[in-house]
Amino acid sequence: LAYKRKMISKHFANYLTRAVGELIEDGGGPEAFPQLPGSHLRLTNPALEFVKNILVVLDLDPDTRQETTYLRKSLFAQIGIQEYSAVTKWRNPAASFVLPDVHCAECHECIDVDLCATPPDDDDGGPSGGRHWSCSNCGARYGSERVEGRLVEIVQRKCLRYQLQDVRCAKTQRIATRAMARTSDCSAPLKLDIGRDAFLREMTIMSNLASYYDLEYLKEITSSFLGH
């Protein structure tokens, strides 16, 4: 226990202070962060994100909580951000999208695939080469066309469900029955079952998948919803 606490208060603190100083010196903004399929947050400060990710790992050990608290204060002060500011809260920068029941034509295995986390095979190793997802059981390719077709269907269903959803009274949770009304029968505001921000977040993830994997039809569909 004493060794762990010394590692954080001495070795980790010195190393992280030096590393954060180098990040601040190098500068960088949004362009410093890679745009991956699961990227759904607007990240602008490399030093801040580095500190947040390190601290969320150190917080997992309850035995060193006091040392981690001292380190948190020191690192956030170094980058000029208040310790309890909203921007210091960690959020997972990698979204997940699981495509269920992906069927392999070779071995007939049917599995769920997280398209944001499972890297596809690249034909030529280049960033824009032909990419294909492969079956984890036999290695046969699924084919991006089949995956893209299912993603387009999912986007269209999500859009239809968003447009045809009911609005509810924020107080009683009852479905509104008056057309074009701004408030419910009890004069409470109305709310959507699927919020606009949640819908746009899902469409953004789909757009990221389309851009990263060069799925042209999916890119066209999501662009029309996002107004690109």
Side-chain angles (χ1 to χ4, degrees):
L1 181 60
Y3 175 75
K4 289 195 298 183
R5 290 175 174 174
K6 181 179 180 181
M7 284 293 293
I8 292 179
S9 61
K10 299 292 184 181
H11 301 289
F12 283 7
N14 293 336
Y15 172 78
L16 292 174
T17 299
R18 184 168 62 253
V20 170
E22 293 174 356
L23 287 172
I24 294 174
E25 183 179 349
D26 292 341
E31 71 283 353
F33 298 92
Q35 287 301 308
L36 302 175
S39 300
H40 67 110
L41 302 178
R42 177 173 170 76
L43 306 177
T44 59
N45 189 332
L48 172 62
E49 299 305 323
F50 174 75
V51 170
K52 286 162 58 177
N53 281 279
I54 290 294
L55 291 176
V56 76
V57 175
L58 295 178
D59 276 336
L60 296 176
D61 189 351
D63 294 335
T64 58
R65 189 151 294 163
Q66 184 175 6
E67 287 73 21
T68 302
T69 300
Y70 293 151
L71 182 61
R72 175 184 287 104
K73 292 180 180 179
S74 174
L75 294 178
F76 282 136
Q78 185 179 359
I79 59 180
I81 294 178
Q82 294 184 355
E83 180 184 357
Y84 295 105
S85 172
V87 297
T88 63
K89 289 182 170 52
W90 183 83
R91 294 175 61 193
N92 191 345
S96 174
F97 180 80
V98 177
L99 185 64
D101 301 330
V102 180
H103 178 259
C104 176
E106 294 294 330
C107 67
H108 304 290
E109 185 76 12
C110 194
I111 62 173
D112 299 341
V113 179
D114 187 347
L115 300 182
C116 291
T118 305
D121 297 330
D122 199 331
D123 282 348
D124 58 7
S128 61
R131 295 185 171 102
H132 303 271
W133 287 272
S134 297
C135 174
S136 59
N137 186 48
C138 69
R141 291 176 174 178
Y142 291 128
S144 57
E145 297 83 3
R146 290 161 55 190
V147 174
E148 181 180 21
R150 291 191 57 189
L151 291 177
V152 169
E153 291 179 2
I154 290 172
V155 167
Q156 292 173 336
R157 287 200 303 267
K158 286 181 179 292
C159 180
L160 185 63
R161 185 176 62 179
Y162 175 74
Q163 293 174 333
L164 299 181
Q165 68 179 310
D166 295 315
V167 290
R168 298 179 182 273
C169 171
K171 183 177 181 180
T172 65
Q173 304 302 316
R174 292 180 179 176
I175 296 176
T177 57
R178 295 185 300 167
M180 307 299 293
R182 290 181 176 270
T183 59
S184 66
D185 293 336
C186 63
S187 299
L190 299 175
K191 68 174 185 177
L192 297 170
D193 287 339
I194 305 172
R196 181 176 183 271
D197 291 343
F199 173 74
L200 291 179
R201 185 163 53 249
E202 291 179 337
M203 291 300 104
T204 299
I205 294 173
M206 290 294 190
S207 178
N208 290 344
L209 284 169
S211 299
Y212 188 80
Y213 296 133
D214 199 23
L215 307 177
E216 293 296 335
Y217 187 30
L218 180 62
K219 187 185 302 183
E220 180 181 346
I221 296 293
T222 54
S223 295
S224 66
F225 295 139
L226 295 173
H228 291 172

